Amino acid sequence: MSRLHQSRIADFQEVLGEPTVALTKLRELCFSGIPFDGGLRCLCWKILLNYLPLEKALWSSLLKKQRDLYSQFLKEMIIQPGIAKANLGVSREDVTLEDHPLNPNPDSRWNTYFKDNEVLLQIDKDVRRLYPDMAFFQRPTDYPCLLILDPQNEFETLRRRVEQTTLKSQTVARNRSGVTNVSSPLKTTPSSLSEYEVLPNGCEAHWEVVERILFIYAKLNPGIAYVQGMNEIVGPLYYTFATDPNSEWKEHAEADTFFCFTNLMAEIRDNFIKSLDDSQCGITYKMEKMYSTLKEKDVELYLKLQEQNIKPQFFAFRWLTLLLSQEFLLPDVIRIWDSLFADDKRFDFLLLVCCAMLTLIRDQLLEGDFTLNMRLLQDYPISDVHLILKKAKELQDSK
């Protein structure tokens, strides 16, 4: 380990060792990248995403409370409905006229159950393809959820619901801006090969844990429910927490990911809500802001893209909505997120990263025609994220 790396770790340990964490100092350190060693990144992300308070004395009681709350969600949203469904088959007296599968009443438990299944199938389809280029999500977790996997359970699990539901799921994301494609060409593989298999009973793969997190989020946030692409936001968070070198943190990766994801979505959820597209907080506004930033920094490149009618929604929709999680390999996405989470102006820096990505390929873009340029932007050619972040920082400092 280099001396520089050791001294960086020491800097982090010093800030995190104080009874009250100095947020400004922590942000500065995290902005330049967080070492993985000793679970530093997992801890810093939990603070930066407002899951852990700055007073360390409050941590253990807060964590216990939140993790208990998450178990409660599992019981209410997965186990209870599952028991109800299992019992309906056994005891006929439960099936009253008020609540049978054909009841048109929107409050009917059945109606909710079928609606939930449509959401569940969409989530299932998306999480089975998470980061197909690495084996992690297909591997069994060391801490399967015992509440759910207990072999004594007679109730219907999410796994069984997916198997039994033959509803053809409508794709949630009706392509929002025509050309936008939520998954990048880099990551797609033939569907028959890319679907992850279900592990034998008693084990569960990491992708199933992600499925549960997203399902509970959808149940608790009916206004937005689940939109394709959220799986790409939860994936890097869960991966980071589930590979924490400290086992007492790693064991609770599911609950901790859920709350950090919820907090992160509270900041970026407007990108996923179609009705807000054109409002001040929606994605269209952010894409326009990115182009106006580009115009400030590199007017020649801006005019070239305008002249070729390359609209930001053709590529920046995905870049901004998914926080670049589809453009780079997972370790690089995680490094970019260190800087994004540390940004006190919350994701203003993301616009600069996108501008940096454009200016770094400006020569190719200035020479290319529409088709060539679209290909460059849809499948970004530079993989060195350090170069991109350095350029973005220069743009930030040149204001």
Side-chain angles (χ1 to χ4, degrees):
M1 193 190 297
S2 73
R3 191 166 295 159
L4 175 68
H5 189 66
Q6 275 171 322
S7 80
R8 273 187 64 69
I9 292 175
D11 292 344
F12 274 93
Q13 284 167 339
E14 189 185 333
V15 173
L16 294 166
E18 296 292 327
T20 300
V21 177
L23 187 58
T24 315
K25 229 187 236 170
L26 184 71
R27 283 189 193 283
E28 264 170 45
L29 283 174
C30 294
F31 188 81
S32 318
I34 309 169
F36 174 73
D37 313 69
L40 286 173
R41 174 177 280 127
C42 311
L43 191 51
C44 292
W45 278 18
K46 289 178 178 112
I47 297 169
L48 295 174
L49 291 170
N50 303 319
Y51 178 45
L52 287 178
L54 298 175
E55 293 78 38
K56 283 174 67 178
L58 304 173
W59 287 4
S60 60
S61 62
L62 174 118
L63 288 168
K64 184 179 181 331
K65 193 178 109 224
Q66 296 300 87
R67 290 161 179 175
D68 289 349
L69 177 61
Y70 188 74
S71 295
Q72 203 47 47
F73 292 157
L74 291 178
K75 286 176 189 150
E76 284 170 22
M77 288 169 229
I78 294 177
I79 295 177
Q80 291 301 325
I83 291 172
K85 174 77 194 303
N87 289 346
L88 286 174
V90 188
S91 51
R92 294 298 302 161
E93 65 270 22
D94 276 9
V95 189
T96 56
L97 284 173
E98 281 76 68
D99 207 9
H100 65 87
L102 300 176
N103 181 356
N105 175 0
D107 301 333
S108 145
R109 266 189 327 185
W110 278 106
N111 201 345
T112 314
Y113 180 84
F114 289 132
K115 273 214 168 58
D116 288 351
N117 278 356
E118 286 184 37
V119 174
L120 177 59
L121 284 184
Q122 180 62 49
I123 294 173
D124 189 71
K125 207 169 94 201
D126 292 345
V127 294
R128 284 183 193 236
R129 302 204 187 105
L130 257 183
Y131 289 96
D133 47 349
M134 50 188 296
F136 171 79
F137 287 97
Q138 303 169 58
R139 288 205 186 110
T141 158
D142 298 339
Y143 303 100
C145 179
L146 300 176
L147 266 176
I148 286 177
L149 289 186
D150 178 354
Q152 301 307 306
N153 282 340
E154 284 305 310
F155 76 88
E156 187 190 41
T157 55
L158 289 187
R159 183 187 280 193
R160 236 174 280 161
R161 275 174 83 161
V162 170
E163 286 164 7
Q164 290 176 7
T165 304
T166 46
L167 282 173
K168 289 283 165 275
S169 66
Q170 287 81 28
T171 310
V172 175
R174 307 242 183 278
N175 239 343
R176 272 175 52 189
S177 52
V179 193
T180 305
N181 164 9
V182 178
S183 60
S184 85
L186 192 87
K187 305 267 164 74
T188 40
T189 41
S191 58
S192 57
L193 297 172
S194 64
E195 294 278 315
Y196 296 163
E197 297 302 315
V198 170
L199 295 174
N201 280 343
C203 302
E204 58 179 350
H206 289 295
W207 66 262
E208 286 190 271
V209 181
V210 175
E211 174 165 272
R212 210 162 37 233
I213 292 169
L214 287 166
F215 182 72
I216 288 180
Y217 179 82
K219 288 286 287 170
L220 287 170
N221 296 275
I224 181 170
Y226 172 75
V227 182
Q228 197 179 18
M230 287 181 184
N231 55 315
E232 306 292 350
I233 299 287
V234 88
L237 285 176
Y238 175 72
Y239 173 81
T240 301
F241 295 165
T243 54
D244 193 319
N246 302 340
S247 56
E248 68 274 21
W249 287 96
K250 186 176 173 176
E251 186 180 346
H252 298 286
E254 179 176 351
D256 293 348
T257 301
F258 172 80
F259 290 108
C260 287
F261 172 68
T262 301
N263 290 358
L264 178 55
M265 282 304 296
E267 299 189 42
I268 63 170
R269 60 179 280 170
D270 296 346
N271 296 346
F272 287 92
I273 300 175
K274 187 163 175 21
S275 59
L276 291 178
D277 277 2
D278 299 318
S279 70
Q280 287 284 299
C281 49
I283 187 69
T284 308
Y285 174 74
K286 293 194 180 81
M287 292 190 293
E288 281 163 7
K289 199 170 162 200
M290 189 200 93
Y291 258 29
S292 60
T293 311
L294 179 68
K295 187 179 180 179
E296 254 170 66
K297 306 287 183 192
D298 189 337
V299 70
E300 189 188 358
L301 180 55
Y302 167 79
L303 290 171
K304 173 75 179 184
L305 295 175
Q306 288 289 37
E307 174 203 320
Q308 292 190 346
N309 202 14
I310 294 180
K311 295 186 182 357
Q313 46 267 47
F314 297 166
F315 62 95
F317 175 84
R318 189 176 75 209
W319 291 7
L320 295 168
T321 305
L322 304 182
L323 308 180
L324 295 169
S325 61
Q326 284 272 290
E327 312 315 309
F328 302 99
L329 296 172
L330 187 58
D332 296 326
V333 171
I334 288 170
R335 169 60 194 92
I336 292 173
W337 284 16
D338 287 346
S339 297
L340 294 184
F341 295 166
D343 170 21
D344 59 347
K345 295 208 178 45
R346 276 322 199 209
F347 309 115
D348 272 10
F349 187 65
L350 177 59
L351 299 174
L352 293 168
V353 175
C354 294
C355 286
M357 287 167 67
L358 294 171
T359 53
L360 284 169
I361 55 169
R362 74 185 301 270
D363 296 349
Q364 289 156 277
L365 290 169
L366 290 172
E367 281 170 24
D369 59 8
F370 176 86
T371 315
L372 201 69
N373 286 346
M374 279 300 296
R375 197 173 304 144
L376 280 173
L377 295 168
Q378 287 271 341
D379 196 355
Y380 189 74
I382 296 177
S383 57
D384 181 354
V385 296
H386 298 280
L387 181 68
I388 294 165
L389 290 167
K390 188 165 160 260
K391 183 72 184 165
K393 183 79 180 95
E394 283 166 20
L395 293 175
Q396 188 180 48
D397 295 341
S398 70
K399 281 188 170 164

